[in-house]
Amino acid sequence: MGLVTKLMADKKPSAPLPEGLHPVSESDPTAKALGFHQDAKQTDFILYPERKEPGSKNQFCKHCAQFTKINESWGKCNIISSGVVSTEGWCSAWSQRT
């Protein structure tokens, strides 16, 4: 199953993928190095055990300082620039928006 199809099957986005843009592939070298997933629930908790801690429950791309919202479901990341990221995504570069 393709990434977009899987995302659509797992959770119906509230806004469509922006026209002409594609989601960041989780196999993108930068995304892979940062443990990025379009769905934060798919985080490798063995590699990133801090993601399971109660204080990290709101760590999603939509709350990250590196995220710029495009619509309710998608945005651009200043670090992973090969496409758009889901508002419900996560990577190890996450930092609280101030």
Side-chain angles (χ1 to χ4, degrees):
M1 187 180 317
L3 176 62
V4 173
T5 305
K6 183 176 179 348
L7 282 173
M8 300 294 185
D10 290 347
K11 179 181 177 189
K12 300 246 186 282
S14 58
L17 187 64
E19 188 172 331
L21 297 176
H22 62 279
V24 168
S25 170
E26 293 175 2
S27 63
D28 171 87
T30 303
K32 196 169 189 166
L34 294 171
F36 173 75
H37 285 284
Q38 294 284 5
D39 179 354
K41 294 176 188 160
Q42 300 301 314
T43 300
D44 184 336
F45 297 118
I46 294 171
L47 291 175
Y48 304 101
E50 68 277 7
R51 183 66 183 98
K52 285 174 55 174
E53 294 175 12
S56 66
K57 68 178 181 175
N58 288 318
Q59 288 186 6
F60 296 99
C61 291
K62 64 185 171 188
H63 300 299
C64 181
Q66 303 302 321
F67 181 81
T68 303
K69 180 179 172 180
I70 294 175
N71 63 30
E72 293 304 312
S73 297
W74 301 97
K76 295 292 286 178
C77 175
N78 292 333
I79 297 173
I80 307 173
S81 59
S82 62
V84 292
V85 297
S86 167
T87 56
E88 300 300 315
W90 181 87
C91 83
S92 63
W94 186 90
S95 59
Q96 180 66 49
R97 179 177 291 165
T98 55

